Amino acid sequence: MTETFVVIGGDAAGMSAASKAKRENPELDVVVFEKGEWVSYAACGMPYYVKGAVDELDDLVTVTPEEFRTERDVDLRTGEEVVDVDPNAAVVTVDTGDETYEQSYDDLLIGTGASAIEPPFDGLDLDGVFTIHDMDEADAIENYVAHHDPETAAIVGGGYVGVEMAEALSAHGVDVHLYEMLPHVLQPFGEAVASVVEEHLREQGIELHLETAVSGFRGADRVDGVDLEDETVAADIAIVGVGVSPNVDLAAEAGVDRGPTGAIATDEYGRTNVENVYAAGDCAEARHVVTGEPDHVPLALTANRAGRAIGQTVTGEPTPVGDIAGTAIVKAFDLGAARTGIVDEERAREAGFDPVSVTISASSRAHYYPDGAELTVTLIADRESETVLGGTIVGREGAKRIDTLATALHAGLTVSELQNADLAYAPPFSPVWDPILTAAKVLGGNLE
Amino acid sequence: MTETFVVIGGDAAGMSAASKAKRENPELDVVVFEKGEWVSYAACGMPYYVKGAVDELDDLVTVTPEEFRTERDVDLRTGEEVVDVDPNAAVVTVDTGDETYEQSYDDLLIGTGASAIEPPFDGLDLDGVFTIHDMDEADAIENYVAHHDPETAAIVGGGYVGVEMAEALSAHGVDVHLYEMLPHVLQPFGEAVASVVEEHLREQGIELHLETAVSGFRGADRVDGVDLEDETVAADIAIVGVGVSPNVDLAAEAGVDRGPTGAIATDEYGRTNVENVYAAGDCAEARHVVTGEPDHVPLALTANRAGRAIGQTVTGEPTPVGDIAGTAIVKAFDLGAARTGIVDEERAREAGFDPVSVTISASSRAHYYPDGAELTVTLIADRESETVLGGTIVGREGAKRIDTLATALHAGLTVSELQNADLAYAPPFSPVWDPILTAAKVLGGNLE
């Protein structure tokens, strides 16, 4: 009898799992339910569509629904929403909009993703107020900018979305005000990165309002202002990007446990506590390689990788989903900012380490070679084991070098092992001592 | 009684050792003998001085002789050559040009470097024929180009120097012919890199003559042609860059052993077989992290690192010099090409591995993001252990990502461990799966 692998959610985790399972076992029935119409799209590309650096929204789609159906032989059912999971009967209930029906499964993957958090602001439903949670919303923002030619934007939240959308709207000549409740933008990147990025954002004309709480938006039908504690500031468009929360309701109702972060708890194979039910992507936890503890870092590579591994596991070859290091990189106008692992001492102490850290600045190229950029590198390690715990890099070029640190974290390298890595040098590409090595040298000195 | 650390050779290894030793123990007498006048200069920067990308030869000097003497309190004696080492008496004999004298030592570092190989060509001493072995030679080339305005150049040797000098002379409007005896340029980078680089060199107007032996140069006083097997080709300037050989005569005469590569054999602390005598830099071997065997890869970082470690060791804190991975990167016009570890199957078999390798091409950025470059990545692993043995990267951006692979080699990661590394993704910097991860995925499939 043919077995059936059912996938809930047609984005990174779900479609990776479906494609991999079908490739490994063409006999398997693979059914994907996606309540929307977009599948396998690059959410991370949406700010660049709004900016105008990407011409068509369709360009962000990696594989089209048609290609999944014809070339990959996946039974992709868009516009159909799974509204119930019954693990005892191994059946999901599907709502097509017109009717409901049941679909049985042998293995089930929950890849329901995450949703943009909607804070309790007044005026969230005004025209011109957006979150950026899906492709239709990206399209709506682009349309709004094109048709209403806003002069002033209020961006609420200084995370990835906020920083990227500041650049995107600024490219349209909009005066951008960025509001962040915390003392710094890009909180997960630590203060060394934040201070460099903040200076650059200001140079680019972004009005930064740090430690500033927004309470809501004003306007008749369309937004025309943003309410702060003491004043109202004009705004013709508003983007709210204050984080995402995992979509776990469907799973919770089916008896699937959530972990300490609130996302779905999974083991090293992406299995939940419920038999034959897996979870992956933005709705699920993953194990952090430095702490060994579950964490929730909803990013594209994690979703793709876990989906692919689960797709392999359900065809009979158990494959770990892999640990995460919380590696991330973001463009802020001309800067790249990157992080991996644990990047601040407070977080390190919470995780049980005795942290020691350094921040250094060094050129991305040989000092005499033209057009080098200043790179600021932070490196943090545990005093006793001397293991590298994480780090950050920010600068006009070279932020992708964070991958060297991420690899060191996966390998559990000590500071002196990292310091002795034979990294590439030639004047156009690096000083003799790559800035990462310089940071490791200085940190090694502090450990003695 | 004050101890004395004597260093022979004032470049990367020697000056790093001298500076570190003096910093760790200010009581130590540190004496450096440098037969020339230049110390601590960036030999790798010389092609960019010739090109005109670096204004002054002095820009290539990291620390001046005066700074070593006054700020670092190193007894630097330029223009003085060590002509004999007597390990039994722990004394070196120094020739100042006017006289000779003896200097005793407690510890001795041999950092005599390497010399450009001079092949047995006719006409090597003609005006306009250069090797590029030191700063004076770089100056002479720059002068010759400025004063004689050559139309056609013959570059003999398609290694780093040849490729970099092709770019440098091309920038002056010179027609460049590059002669290489082997079937490909950049032999240590393997064929996948070579074929990309060769295509690019041709696009840039370089005439490549592969598998072509040069027998000599012609001309009355100044060079005007290069002799091949069957013909003579016009050349108004010629650069010979066919490799370097370690300067080991002084060491050999003192009873210091050479290793299998012909360079000075050293242990993990940079010690030679002779008591209290160390060797580092381009004259010395280092242990290769993949094979565990001694190797000779004369590069700047290795010299700096080993010198620094020995400087620490002689002050009483034994510090390993570190293994090498043979990591290297080179600019060829708009391309970066990089390598680490073992990059071809034949070499892997010689080292006792059962190699399997892949070469993939992928974009350096998300497919929809502007100005991405095609990266060609080769990855090679051992079939049985599945350990990564090495790899190469070539493309218009992103070659420095080789550091991720180099770090993986130092950590002894397997292909699946590398494949599961949490590398950084955002559309302006990478596809979701960094090309290195894609290569690891494909190679992992081939290992199954």
Side-chain angles (χ1 to χ4, degrees), chain A residues 42 44-45 53 59-60 305 308 325-327 329 367-368 370 400 403-404 406-407 410-411 419-422 424 426-427 430 434 441, chain B residues 42 44-45 53 59-60 305 308 325-327 329 367-368 370 400 403-404 406-407 410-411 419-422 424 426-427 430 434 441:
Chain A
C44 310
D59 292 343
L60 303 185
R305 179 143 46 201
R308 186 173 186 271
T327 312
I329 190 167
H367 67 91
Y368 52 82
K400 188 70 163 84
D403 290 349
T404 299
T407 306
H410 281 279
Q419 182 184 331
N420 276 336
D422 189 7
S430 177
D434 185 275
K441 269 202 298 187
Chain B
C44 310
D59 293 343
L60 302 185
R305 179 143 47 202
R308 186 174 186 270
T327 311
I329 189 166
H367 66 91
Y368 52 82
K400 190 69 163 84
D403 289 349
T404 299
T407 306
H410 281 279
Q419 182 183 331
N420 276 335
D422 189 6
S430 177
D434 185 273
K441 271 202 298 187

Side-chain angles (χ1 to χ4, degrees), chain B residues 323-401:
Chain B
D323 291 345
I324 61 168
T327 311
I329 189 166
V330 62
K331 179 174 182 291
F333 290 89
D334 301 336
L335 288 179
R339 74 172 312 285
T340 191
I342 297 174
V343 308
D344 68 86
E345 296 198 357
E346 188 180 330
R347 174 77 191 89
R349 272 187 288 270
E350 283 168 13
F353 298 105
D354 178 12
V356 50
S357 68
V358 294
T359 297
I360 63 108
S361 286
S363 176
S364 60
R365 308 182 183 186
H367 66 91
Y368 52 82
Y369 195 88
D371 301 328
E374 185 179 55
L375 282 178
T376 301
V377 179
T378 294
L379 201 58
I380 180 166
D382 177 52
R383 192 179 300 275
E384 193 186 331
S385 66
E386 302 194 356
T387 307
V388 180
L389 301 177
T392 61
I393 304 179
V394 61
R396 282 172 191 259
E397 67 173 8
K400 190 69 163 84
R401 298 182 197 190

